[in-house]
Amino acid sequence: QVQLLESGGGSVQSGGSLRLSCDFTAMPQSEYYCMAWFRQAPGQEREGVAALSSDGMTYYEDSVKGRASISRDSARNTLYLQINSLKPEDTARYSCAGAAAPCGTSWSTYGHFGYWGQGTQVTVSS
């Protein structure tokens, strides 16, 4: 069974950086898979931030393009999200997600993913 555990969140000043980690107990059992980061701020809908497909393709939400990088350590079954130049509007609870299917155009769709972590809070102060 795939279980996900996030870490690395915290409080940081605007302009700072954070690297979030997501430990998978196992990869989704499929030749094709999609691993992603979502975030949800209070009173707002959950949104996809970044995704990494099994074919190496990466996807980013427009507001983090150029500031974020998603990567995976295969040996450790860990997914990372590095975000630089953090802004107060990046404040949210960040969750990682996994799908036993390619990312494609559904990379930022909540229903595409069957595996979810509990999330880690990121707070950016101005």
Side-chain angles (χ1 to χ4, degrees):
Q1 183 177 358
V2 178
Q3 293 182 328
L4 293 70
L5 180 64
E6 302 93 338
S7 62
S11 297
V12 63
Q13 289 191 330
S14 181
S17 300
L18 279 176
R19 187 177 79 160
L20 307 181
S21 299
C22 175
D23 293 317
F24 284 71
T25 56
M27 295 301 294
Q29 294 301 306
S30 171
E31 180 180 359
Y32 304 101
Y33 58 82
C34 181
M35 300 157 64
W37 287 94
F38 283 73
R39 67 186 178 186
Q40 187 169 23
Q44 297 187 19
E45 292 188 357
R46 190 187 318 235
E47 67 173 356
V49 179
L52 173 65
S53 193
S54 49
D55 60 3
M57 289 286 292
T58 57
Y59 306 79
Y60 295 96
E61 194 268 331
D62 285 346
S63 71
V64 302
K65 281 181 179 177
R67 300 191 294 122
S69 177
I70 188 170
S71 61
R72 177 171 67 92
D73 184 330
S74 300
R76 298 184 176 184
N77 268 358
T78 302
L79 180 72
Y80 299 104
L81 179 68
Q82 174 79 33
I83 310 180
N84 302 319
S85 302
L86 282 160
K87 306 174 182 180
E89 49 264 43
D90 293 319
T91 295
R93 189 163 186 85
Y94 286 70
S95 300
C96 63
C103 292
T105 56
S106 299
W107 75 268
S108 61
T109 302
Y110 173 80
H112 186 65
F113 297 87
Y115 307 101
W116 289 90
Q118 293 298 310
T120 184
Q121 179 67 32
V122 172
T123 302
V124 184
S125 58
S126 57

